[in-house]
mmCIF file of all heavy atoms in Angstrom:
data_model
loop_
_atom_site.group_PDB
_atom_site.id
_atom_site.type_symbol
_atom_site.label_atom_id
_atom_site.label_comp_id
_atom_site.label_asym_id
_atom_site.label_seq_id
_atom_site.Cartn_x
_atom_site.Cartn_y
_atom_site.Cartn_z
ATOM 1 N N MET D 1 0.847 -1.231 0.015
ATOM 2 C CA MET D 1 -0.062 0.002 0.006
ATOM 3 C C MET D 1 0.906 1.186 0.104
ATOM 4 O O MET D 1 0.706 2.202 -0.785
ATOM 5 C CB MET D 1 -0.919 -0.012 1.259
ATOM 6 C CG MET D 1 -1.789 1.186 1.340
ATOM 7 S SD MET D 1 -3.231 1.019 0.307
ATOM 8 C CE MET D 1 -4.187 2.386 0.846
ATOM 9 N N LEU D 12 2.106 12.363 -9.548
ATOM 10 C CA LEU D 12 1.414 13.747 -9.407
ATOM 11 C C LEU D 12 2.589 14.781 -9.336
ATOM 12 O O LEU D 12 2.242 15.838 -9.966
ATOM 13 C CB LEU D 12 0.645 13.721 -8.093
ATOM 14 C CG LEU D 12 -0.653 12.983 -8.079
ATOM 15 C CD1 LEU D 12 -1.334 12.877 -6.757
ATOM 16 C CD2 LEU D 12 -1.579 13.593 -9.162
ATOM 17 N N ALA D 13 3.701 14.584 -8.671
ATOM 18 C CA ALA D 13 4.627 15.625 -8.577
ATOM 19 C C ALA D 13 5.239 15.851 -9.912
ATOM 20 O O ALA D 13 5.480 17.026 -10.272
ATOM 21 C CB ALA D 13 5.761 15.174 -7.561
ATOM 22 N N LEU D 23 4.039 25.515 -19.099
ATOM 23 C CA LEU D 23 3.040 26.533 -19.209
ATOM 24 C C LEU D 23 3.581 27.973 -18.522
ATOM 25 O O LEU D 23 3.168 28.930 -19.040
ATOM 26 C CB LEU D 23 1.792 26.160 -18.389
ATOM 27 C CG LEU D 23 1.103 24.929 -18.976
ATOM 28 C CD1 LEU D 23 -0.263 24.684 -18.231
ATOM 29 C CD2 LEU D 23 0.696 25.143 -20.437
ATOM 30 N N PRO D 32 -0.155 28.390 -27.533
ATOM 31 C CA PRO D 32 -0.593 27.622 -26.438
ATOM 32 C C PRO D 32 -0.763 26.160 -26.765
ATOM 33 O O PRO D 32 -0.554 25.276 -25.854
ATOM 34 C CB PRO D 32 -1.930 28.354 -26.167
ATOM 35 C CG PRO D 32 -1.802 29.810 -26.527
ATOM 36 C CD PRO D 32 -0.867 29.593 -27.733
ATOM 37 N N HIS D 52 9.860 1.090 -18.833
ATOM 38 C CA HIS D 52 11.144 0.722 -19.349
ATOM 39 C C HIS D 52 11.208 0.529 -20.900
ATOM 40 O O HIS D 52 11.817 -0.436 -21.412
ATOM 41 C CB HIS D 52 11.679 -0.615 -18.581
ATOM 42 C CG HIS D 52 11.706 -0.471 -17.107
ATOM 43 N ND1 HIS D 52 12.800 0.405 -16.488
ATOM 44 C CD2 HIS D 52 10.931 -0.930 -16.280
ATOM 45 C CE1 HIS D 52 12.597 0.240 -15.201
ATOM 46 N NE2 HIS D 52 11.468 -0.390 -14.884
ATOM 47 N N MET D 61 5.908 7.044 -31.615
ATOM 48 C CA MET D 61 4.920 7.081 -32.763
ATOM 49 C C MET D 61 4.003 5.816 -32.525
ATOM 50 O O MET D 61 2.793 6.049 -32.760
ATOM 51 C CB MET D 61 5.532 6.846 -34.121
ATOM 52 C CG MET D 61 6.313 8.209 -34.643
ATOM 53 S SD MET D 61 7.248 7.930 -36.107
ATOM 54 C CE MET D 61 6.196 6.952 -37.218
ATOM 55 N N LEU D 77 10.877 20.330 -29.315
ATOM 56 C CA LEU D 77 10.684 21.501 -28.360
ATOM 57 C C LEU D 77 11.059 21.031 -26.961
ATOM 58 O O LEU D 77 11.586 21.946 -26.162
ATOM 59 C CB LEU D 77 9.239 22.080 -28.386
ATOM 60 C CG LEU D 77 8.815 22.667 -29.732
ATOM 61 C CD1 LEU D 77 7.329 22.975 -29.701
ATOM 62 C CD2 LEU D 77 9.756 24.028 -29.692
ATOM 63 N N GLY D 82 15.160 21.584 -22.494
ATOM 64 C CA GLY D 82 16.053 20.911 -21.544
ATOM 65 C C GLY D 82 15.336 19.935 -20.831
ATOM 66 O O GLY D 82 15.959 19.321 -19.799
ATOM 67 N N LYS D 123 17.284 6.821 -19.383
ATOM 68 C CA LYS D 123 17.771 5.899 -20.543
ATOM 69 C C LYS D 123 18.429 6.825 -21.454
ATOM 70 O O LYS D 123 18.150 7.913 -21.645
ATOM 71 C CB LYS D 123 16.579 5.205 -21.190
ATOM 72 C CG LYS D 123 15.858 4.325 -20.095
ATOM 73 C CD LYS D 123 15.341 3.167 -20.890
ATOM 74 C CE LYS D 123 14.707 2.311 -19.606
ATOM 75 N NZ LYS D 123 14.227 1.302 -19.431
#
Side-chain angles (χ1 to χ4, degrees):
M1 178 82 171
L12 288 170
L23 298 181
H52 305 287
M61 286 170 49
L77 288 171
K123 301 216 175 188

